[in-house]
Amino acid sequence: MIENEFSPSANVTSALRVEELAKRVINELGRRSPAETRDRVVETTIWIANVTTTVGNYSQSDVMSALLKRGVSRDLIVDCCLPDAARLLGDGWMKNLRSFGQVSLGAVRIQGLLKELSHSWENQQNEEQAGGLFLIVCQGEDHTLGPLVLADQLRRKGYSINILIGAEEDEIIKTSINSDFDGIMFSCSGIRAFDEIIMLINKLKNESENLPPIVLGGKIIDVLEEKIHDMIDVDLITKDLEIAINFFKIQKNQTNKNRVERAS
């Protein structure tokens, strides 16, 4: 493959919010990674935003091969580069630097890269399962990249994930009631999907008395801020993955303890 086949020329979009992006990446990585790694994460993010919107022939296998040679780990590509590349595309559209068609095409290609990376990671998993979680994205949700990244992060931590995106209400309820999950997670970023989640949770609780703990996450927490706690009946509201995982572990341990006490 020609070296610059996937090296789009620099333009105004390439520089879009680079400084702010760099600051965010550095803050997310903290002191765990050397400065040169942070620089590569930022550069790779911008490269992804450009290559996925390049007009002409696009080969996902060639792009994937070039991506994995950029010196950034798979985890950082999934957790930082792909989501931030999608944000850069959104910024470009908001500032009239990208067309809606370009952004839509880029989003589809970024999600394709994520799926291929996730499949590669799953094939390497040999760890003992930490439990099973049900991740739900309702039909009113417009953004699905975030939940897919979340599912990948949870699998890396040893969880078996059943994820439904845009499923019918009956399928979600049936899966929730008939499966033995350690927890149910709702990912939400917009008001329309949030309203659907409220109705769905109320129906779930009316139809089952033995639901696992329910956690709500996503950008909707920033949108509604503190008032969100009075609007929805869930066990935990958080954007912090570690807080959610620890919560599920505590609830699982308590459930197992109660079972032992009842059996004795």
Side-chain angles (χ1 to χ4, degrees):
M1 182 177 66
I2 301 174
E3 185 175 350
N4 10 333
E5 183 176 352
F6 296 108
S7 301
S9 59
N11 54 38
V12 66
T13 309
S14 304
L16 187 62
R17 291 180 63 188
V18 173
E19 182 179 354
E20 182 177 340
L21 172 63
K23 290 178 180 178
R24 181 166 67 247
V25 170
I26 290 172
N27 288 336
E28 289 175 357
L29 291 178
R31 299 178 180 178
R32 295 176 300 168
S33 187
E36 58 268 23
T37 300
R38 299 168 193 165
D39 291 341
R40 284 200 297 270
V41 167
V42 175
E43 292 167 359
T44 299
T45 296
I46 297 167
W47 180 84
I48 293 171
N50 283 328
V51 74
T52 55
T53 53
T54 299
V55 178
N57 294 332
Y58 177 89
S59 168
Q60 180 166 301
S61 61
D62 287 343
V63 171
M64 178 65 70
S65 177
L67 176 59
L68 295 176
K69 294 177 182 177
R70 295 188 64 86
V72 179
S73 70
R74 288 176 184 250
D75 290 3
L76 286 177
I77 291 173
V78 171
D79 295 344
C80 298
C81 298
L82 295 179
D84 274 329
R87 293 187 187 101
L88 283 180
L89 296 185
D91 289 342
W93 180 60
M94 294 295 293
K95 296 179 182 294
N96 294 320
L97 297 172
R98 300 265 192 197
S99 69
F100 181 77
Q102 282 181 308
V103 174
S104 298
L105 178 62
V108 170
R109 288 172 171 173
I110 288 172
Q111 193 153 302
L113 293 173
L114 172 60
K115 288 182 178 179
E116 187 165 338
L117 282 167
S118 297
H119 290 162
S120 298
W121 177 265
E122 288 171 16
N123 291 336
Q124 299 174 28
Q125 290 300 293
N126 294 312
E127 298 180 5
E128 182 179 350
Q129 291 294 320
L133 299 175
F134 186 21
L135 178 56
I136 303 169
V137 184
C138 286
Q139 289 183 341
E141 186 60 67
D142 295 323
H143 303 284
T144 58
L145 184 67
L148 291 173
V149 170
L150 173 61
D152 186 79
Q153 292 171 335
L154 288 167
R155 289 188 180 109
R156 272 182 259 153
K157 292 182 178 293
Y159 283 93
S160 171
I161 305 299
N162 186 331
I163 180 170
L164 287 182
I165 297 178
E168 296 290 338
E169 184 180 86
D170 290 344
E171 182 181 1
I172 295 174
I173 292 175
K174 181 180 178 181
T175 304
S176 300
I177 294 175
N178 296 335
S179 303
D180 186 22
F181 295 115
D182 296 303
I184 297 176
M185 303 183 75
F186 284 91
S187 177
C188 179
S189 63
I191 293 294
R192 187 162 64 97
F194 182 69
D195 291 337
E196 292 185 18
I197 291 173
I198 292 175
M199 292 186 291
L200 178 58
I201 289 177
N202 290 337
K203 191 167 183 179
L204 273 171
K205 293 192 173 185
N206 287 334
E207 298 193 14
S208 176
E209 297 180 354
N210 298 310
L211 288 173
I214 300 175
V215 172
L216 172 69
K219 291 186 177 180
I220 191 65
I221 299 174
D222 293 329
V223 174
L224 297 176
E225 298 179 331
E226 288 301 318
K227 60 184 177 182
I228 193 173
H229 295 276
D230 299 322
M231 301 174 67
I232 191 167
D233 183 17
V234 295
D235 299 292
L236 177 67
I237 298 174
T238 182
K239 293 195 306 175
D240 191 314
L241 180 59
E242 294 302 325
I243 290 176
I245 288 175
N246 289 334
F247 174 75
F248 285 133
K249 287 180 179 177
I250 291 171
Q251 297 299 311
K252 183 177 182 179
N253 290 338
Q254 186 61 49
T255 299
N256 291 338
K257 179 181 178 181
N258 292 339
R259 288 174 179 170
V260 171
E261 290 177 348
R262 286 196 299 268
S264 59

